[in-house]
Structure formats: C-alpha cells, structure tokens
Amino acid sequence: MDKLAEHLFDHGVDTPHRRERPTLVAVRLSEFWIRMGDHFGSAYARSVAHDHVMQSLGGRTVDEALAAGEPAKQVWRAVCAEFEVPARKR
C-alpha cells in the first residue's frame, strides 16, 4: 500500500461502508493518478509524488498537498507547470 493511502487509512475518520457511486473527489483523484502514471510511468510517478517538493504547492510534495486537501486538479496543474507536461497530456 502506498504511503498516502496508508496514512489516510491509519488517520482517517471511521465511516460505515456504503455502496454508493464514487464521489467526484474520488473520481478526480483517480484521474490524477492515471495522468501521473501516463506521464511519468507508475513507479516514477509515485517517487515524484513522494519526494519532489514544489514551491507552487507551498513547499510541499504532491502527496502532502493531496493529504492536506488540495484539489487534485490544482495539484495536477502544478505538476504540469513544474515538469513541463505537454499540452496533449494536460
């Protein structure tokens, strides 16, 4: 299990299991990780998210920004600017 998921699992609020459709936030976060994997490759994407500190995210890593509640779309835009992601992948 990755560190962010592990952190959220360990420190998240207990909620009852629900069989509802995924929330928009969950869908956007899933799309974020798909785009990260598409651009960097899955293993390197996790490394970038965990290790690369970005000033545009307030001196935080992607993992830290997402854990702090930054919208996935905003974090993706910061990644695109930082790593010069081609427009076709944005």
Side-chain angles (χ1 to χ4, degrees):
M1 185 181 316
D2 68 314
K3 293 292 183 188
L4 176 60
E6 188 175 293
H7 171 78
L8 294 175
F9 181 80
D10 289 343
H11 301 288
V13 177
D14 288 333
T15 55
H17 177 73
R18 293 181 277 173
R19 290 185 166 243
E20 297 174 7
R21 293 189 309 176
T23 65
L24 188 56
V25 171
V27 171
R28 287 184 178 155
L29 192 55
S30 295
E31 179 65 23
F32 171 83
W33 287 113
I34 289 168
R35 289 175 185 231
M36 286 286 287
D38 181 52
H39 183 69
F40 295 105
S42 60
Y44 187 56
R46 296 315 255 151
S47 177
V48 167
H50 182 71
D51 298 324
H52 189 81
V53 175
M54 298 173 47
Q55 291 308 309
S56 58
L57 294 176
R60 298 176 292 186
T61 65
V62 166
D63 285 346
E64 291 168 337
L66 292 171
E70 293 293 334
K73 190 173 189 176
Q74 182 178 329
V75 175
W76 176 243
R77 286 180 181 153
V79 169
C80 288
E82 181 86 8
F83 291 95
E84 299 177 357
V85 174
R88 65 181 165 70
K89 288 187 173 185
R90 293 179 185 211

